[in-house]
Amino acid sequence: MQVNFGVLGPVAAWDEAGDALTLKGPRHRAVLARLLIARRRVVPVSRLVEDLWAEPPAEAVGAIRTFVAGLRRALEPDRPRRAPSRLLVTEGPGYALRPAQDEVDAWRFEHSVNAVAELPPSQVVDRLTAALRSWRGPAYADFEGEPWTRGEGSRLTELRLHAVERRAEAQIALGTAAEAVPDLDAHIAEHPWREDAWHLLVLALYRSGRQTDALSVVRRARRMLSEHLGVDPGPRLRRLEADILQQADHLDPGPGGSAAQVWAQAAAAYESTVSSRARTRLESTAGLMRTLAVTGGGGLEAARRHRVAAVAAAEQLGDPELTARVIGVYDVPAIWTRSDDPDQARWLVGAAERTLHRLPAEQHQAGRGRLLATIAVESRGTLPTEPAAPGAGARAFQAARQAEHIARRLGDASLLAFALNGVFMQSFHRAGLAGRRDAIGTEVVSLSALNDLTTYEVLGHLIRLQSRCALSDLSGADRHAAAADALAERYELPLVSVFTTWYRALRTAMTQPLPAAEAAYQDAAVCLDGAGMPGLQRGLLPLALLSLCVRHDTPIRMADRHDWGPYEPWVRPLLLVSEGWDEGAREALRGIPSPPRDLLFEALWCFVAKAAVAVGDQAVIQRAYSQLEPASSELAGAGSGLISLGPVSGHLAVLAAVLGRR
C-alpha cells in the first residue's frame, strides 16, 4: 500500500485512496514526525527518547518500540506477521522511515519551489499555486513548540514565504499584478518585517493603476519599520518610492516586462501588414512552432499540433515549394528515439514524401535535403525488428544519407546538423553502435559551435552524454551534461534539464547504494510531469526501478498497477517469473518479438534474457545472445543516458553458460 505523509499542518498519513490512517495517540505521531524530519536517515532510539520526554520514564525504550509497532500496523496493515517492514525499518541503533520523495508533502513542496528557478512566469504561477495549496497549517503543527521541530519548521516556513513572494513576482511579470495584491497584503499583515514583500506589494499596486495606494503602503512600511525596529526602509524600497513619484517609464513596461511589450508591438505590426498573405503566414507559423517546441510542456504539444495544421494548409494551397519550406523550417533537434505521437509522425513522413515527389527533380536542393532529413528524424523507432524483410526500413536510412550528402555538397551547416540528427536516429540497426553515435555527436557539437546553432550544439552534447555512458566513461558524460546545462540556462531551453537530471539519476544508480539510486529516480521522475514528451515518460520510472532490481539482484516487487507503457511486452516475462508463475513466463516468451531498435534495445533484451534463463527457454536465450553479442563492450541500456543493467558482457556470460559455451 502506498502511504502519503503530511507535515505541512498537523502530522497525518493517508492511504492510496486518500483516506486518513489512524495514528493513535500524540506519542505515535511524535515518533512519525521525528522520523520524517530525519529525511530517511536512521534516528537512534536514545535520540527519540530524549526528544519525546523532558524527563524520560524508566520504560521509555520499551514505549518507543510500542509506538513503532503501532505505527507499522497503521502504515502497513497488510504486511504478514513477522515479515520485515519495508517502510518503517529497523536499522542499527534505531529506526528510519523510507517513503519515496513524492510521498511526503513537505518534500514535494520543497522540490516544486526549487524546480521553478528557471521556469517562465506562467509556469511559476501555476506550480507555486498548486504547491502552496498543500499547506494545511503551520509545519508540524502538533509539535510546533518542540525543540526538535524548530529548525525544520522554520526552514519550511521560510520556504513557504519565499514561494508566496516568488509567485507574486511572477504574477507581476505576467501583467496580472492586481491578482497578486490580496495575497501580498495578507502576507505582509502576517510577516511585516519582510521588506521584499513590501516592495512587491507597492509595485503590484502601481502596476494595477493604484499609484496613491502604492505610496500609502510605502508610508505604512516606513512607519512600521521605524516604530518597531528603529530603522528606515532599505534602498530598494526607497528607490521604488522615488520612481513612483517621478512615474518612471521602467515601472510600467506592460505585461511581462519590456520584452513582452516589444513582442506585442511587433505582433500588432505583423497583423496589420500581412493579415491577408496566407503563404507568408504559414511560413511564419512554422518558424514560431520551431521556437515553441523547445520550451517544453504545453509549448511542445502545441507546436506539434499547429505544425501539422500548417503543413496541411500548405498542401491545400497546391504549392510544393511552399510546403517544402513549411515542413523543412521545423528542424527541431530530437534526442529520444521513440516518437511522442507515432500517428502524427507517419502523417508528416507521408507529407514530406508527397512534397518530394512534386518538387522539380534537379531544383530546390536545400529544400529537398530538409524534406529528406525530416523523413529520417520522424521515422525514429521504425527500424525493422527481427526477422527483417529484405530492404525493410531502408527508406529512412537512405533518406538520412541523402540529406547528409546534399548538405555536405551545398556546404549548408544548418542543413548538415539537421541531416546528422536523422543519421543519429537511423543508427540503431544493431546493438553495440555507441562509438558510431559518439562520432556523430562529436561532429554535431563542432559544427554547431562554429555556426551558432545552439539547439544542435545541445543535441550533440546529449548524444555524446548517451554514448559516453554506454562506453563506461562517466567523467566524459559529466562534461557533456554540464555543457548542455550551461547552454540551456543561457538560451532558455528547459527541456534539456529532463535529460541531464535523468543522467544524474543514472550516475547515482551506477555509483551509489540501492536506496540512494531509488530516491534519485523518484526525484528525476518529477521533471517528466508536464514536459510534453509522452514517448519518453510512459513506463520510464518503473523500468528504471526494475533495472535496479536486476543490477542489485534484489527481489522484484513491481505491482501490476505500474504503467509499463511501450515496454510491457519485454518486462512481462520477468515480472511473471518474480511472481513464481514460470508457465505464464514461458507463454509470454513464446514468439516474443524483438524490442524496437532504439536506445533501450540492449536493456530490453537483457530483461528478456533474464526471464528466459529463469525458465530455461533455450530458443530465446540463443536469440538474446545473438542480439547482445555486438554490444559486449558496452553497458546495457546506458546508451539511453537514463538506465543501465550493468555490463552486457556479464549478461552474455550467463547466457553462454546456459548454452554450454565457454
Side-chain angles (χ1 to χ4, degrees):
M1 181 179 74
Q2 180 178 339
V3 181
N4 291 299
F5 297 94
V7 298
L8 302 180
V11 175
W14 302 273
D15 63 18
E16 291 170 296
D19 296 326
L21 300 179
T22 302
L23 299 178
K24 294 191 175 181
R27 298 287 189 189
H28 291 78
R29 290 196 302 278
V31 170
L32 180 62
R34 185 62 187 83
L35 294 176
L36 284 167
I37 284 175
R39 299 181 75 93
R40 299 172 59 90
R41 295 187 296 273
V42 174
V43 181
V45 172
S46 59
R47 184 59 183 271
L48 288 171
V49 170
E50 290 175 11
D51 287 342
L52 263 64
W53 288 280
E55 296 183 9
E59 68 279 5
V61 171
I64 292 292
R65 290 172 179 154
T66 300
F67 301 149
V68 168
L71 284 172
R72 282 172 171 162
R73 285 193 295 273
L75 301 178
E76 297 179 279
D78 298 329
R79 180 170 56 90
R81 289 189 64 187
R82 302 187 182 279
S85 173
R86 296 176 56 204
L87 184 58
L88 204 172
V89 302
T90 302
E91 193 169 305
Y95 302 103
L97 192 67
R98 298 278 166 75
Q101 178 71 28
D102 62 348
E103 292 174 351
V104 182
D105 59 0
W107 303 355
R108 291 195 304 270
F109 178 76
E110 184 173 0
H111 184 276
S112 295
V113 175
N114 293 335
V116 302
E118 302 299 328
L119 294 180
S122 59
Q123 293 184 39
V124 171
V125 172
D126 291 344
R127 294 201 182 187
L128 291 184
T129 297
L132 287 164
R133 288 197 195 104
S134 61
W135 283 76
R136 299 168 288 113
Y140 296 94
D142 329 47
F143 311 102
E144 200 173 1
E146 299 290 342
W148 48 273
T149 64
R150 196 169 297 139
E152 180 67 359
S154 297
R155 188 184 70 83
L156 289 170
T157 299
E158 176 61 29
L159 199 63
R160 184 180 69 82
L161 300 180
H162 171 72
V164 171
E165 292 165 9
R166 182 72 180 86
R167 180 180 62 174
E169 185 179 37
Q171 288 173 316
I172 294 170
L174 283 171
T176 57
E179 296 179 12
V181 169
D183 287 339
L184 282 172
D185 217 351
H187 179 63
I188 284 173
E190 242 188 297
H191 307 281
W193 321 120
R194 298 182 71 86
E195 282 201 49
D196 282 351
W198 286 104
H199 184 277
L200 287 167
L201 178 58
V202 171
L203 183 58
L205 286 166
Y206 185 81
R207 291 272 180 90
S208 303
R210 299 167 61 181
Q211 177 178 325
T212 302
D213 289 338
L215 291 170
S216 175
V217 168
V218 175
R219 289 192 293 271
R220 181 153 57 100
R222 178 179 286 107
R223 185 170 58 253
M224 187 277 300
L225 292 170
S226 175
E227 291 177 359
H228 294 278
L229 297 180
V231 298
D232 291 328
R236 285 186 73 221
L237 196 54
R238 294 200 304 272
R239 279 197 303 271
L240 180 57
E241 180 184 26
D243 288 343
I244 289 173
L245 289 169
Q246 297 171 15
Q247 296 186 342
D249 291 341
H250 72 84
L251 285 183
D252 194 12
S258 56
Q261 189 175 40
V262 170
W263 173 271
Q265 292 169 349
Y270 187 96
E271 181 71 26
S272 62
T273 305
V274 297
S275 58
S276 61
R277 301 177 189 174
R279 286 170 169 77
T280 303
R281 285 206 152 197
L282 284 175
E283 288 191 65
S284 299
T285 298
L288 284 172
M289 292 311 102
R290 175 178 57 186
T291 303
L292 185 62
V294 297
T295 64
L300 178 56
E301 293 168 354
R304 288 197 296 263
R305 184 172 64 254
H306 293 302
R307 178 195 183 191
V308 168
V311 173
E315 280 200 292
Q316 288 174 8
L317 291 174
D319 184 343
E321 295 177 25
L322 170 66
T323 306
R325 292 196 299 271
V326 170
I327 293 174
V329 74
Y330 191 92
D331 55 353
V332 177
I335 184 65
W336 192 238
T337 47
R338 187 177 293 274
S339 176
D340 291 318
D341 190 333
D343 290 337
Q344 184 188 91
R346 282 190 290 271
W347 186 89
L348 286 165
V349 168
E353 293 282 20
R354 289 191 298 272
T355 306
L356 270 174
H357 182 71
R358 293 167 185 161
L359 280 177
E362 299 303 322
Q363 299 178 27
H364 310 291
Q365 287 299 297
R368 296 182 72 85
R370 288 187 170 274
L371 290 170
L372 290 163
T374 298
I375 292 168
V377 171
E378 294 296 338
S379 297
R380 70 185 88 175
T382 62
L383 285 166
T385 55
E386 60 160 6
R395 174 54 181 154
F397 182 85
Q398 178 190 54
R401 291 303 182 189
Q402 288 176 334
E404 180 186 6
H405 175 74
I406 291 172
R408 293 190 189 282
R409 180 162 49 81
L410 295 177
D412 187 328
S414 64
L415 174 55
L416 180 56
F418 189 18
L420 289 173
N421 196 171
V423 172
F424 164 74
M425 283 297 173
Q426 299 304 318
S427 64
F428 297 87
H429 49 280
R430 66 167 174 82
L433 291 173
R436 170 66 185 131
R437 289 191 286 276
D438 193 45
I440 295 170
T442 300
E443 181 174 8
V444 172
V445 169
S446 176
L447 174 73
S448 303
L450 286 173
N451 292 278
D452 295 324
L453 303 172
T454 304
T455 55
Y456 275 99
E457 189 174 355
V458 171
L459 173 69
H461 284 299
L462 293 180
I463 291 173
R464 296 211 66 195
L465 179 157
Q466 293 173 338
S467 57
R468 298 322 298 172
C469 280
L471 298 171
S472 307
D473 178 13
L474 291 184
S475 60
D478 286 343
R479 289 194 297 274
H480 291 292
D485 278 335
L487 288 166
E489 180 177 3
R490 182 176 179 184
Y491 294 100
E492 299 180 325
L493 303 170
L495 283 179
V496 174
S497 66
V498 173
F499 295 96
T500 55
T501 298
W502 269 86
Y503 159 67
R504 292 185 176 96
L506 167 61
R507 201 187 199 293
T508 300
M510 294 171 67
T511 59
Q512 299 295 321
L514 181 59
E518 290 176 338
Y521 275 132
Q522 294 284 359
D523 289 347
V526 177
C527 70
L528 290 172
D529 293 338
M533 294 186 288
L536 174 66
Q537 181 177 6
R538 285 198 62 215
L540 182 55
L541 177 59
L543 196 72
L545 297 177
L546 183 61
S547 73
L548 294 177
C549 294
V550 172
R551 284 190 62 234
H552 290 269
D553 197 24
T554 59
I556 296 170
R557 300 187 181 94
M558 309 295 287
D560 286 339
R561 64 184 174 84
H562 284 296
D563 177 8
W564 293 96
Y567 313 114
E568 193 274 340
W570 298 282
V571 300
R572 175 57 51 192
L574 187 56
L575 297 178
L576 293 171
V577 167
S578 72
E579 295 170 358
W581 192 13
D582 287 4
E583 188 54 42
R586 290 189 187 93
E587 181 62 30
L589 286 168
R590 192 169 296 122
I592 191 170
S594 178
R597 294 179 182 270
D598 58 19
L599 283 164
L600 288 170
F601 178 73
E602 294 94 337
L604 294 178
W605 262 121
C606 287
F607 287 128
V608 171
K610 188 171 180 65
V613 169
V615 299
D617 189 321
Q618 291 286 320
V620 174
I621 292 171
Q622 180 61 60
R623 285 175 63 198
Y625 188 92
S626 300
Q627 294 296 326
L628 289 170
E629 189 175 21
S632 59
S633 62
E634 297 183 8
L635 296 179
S640 66
L642 309 174
I643 71 170
S644 175
L645 284 80
V648 173
S649 58
H651 296 272
L652 288 171
V654 173
L655 298 175
V658 176
L659 292 170
R661 301 180 183 181
R662 290 187 177 182

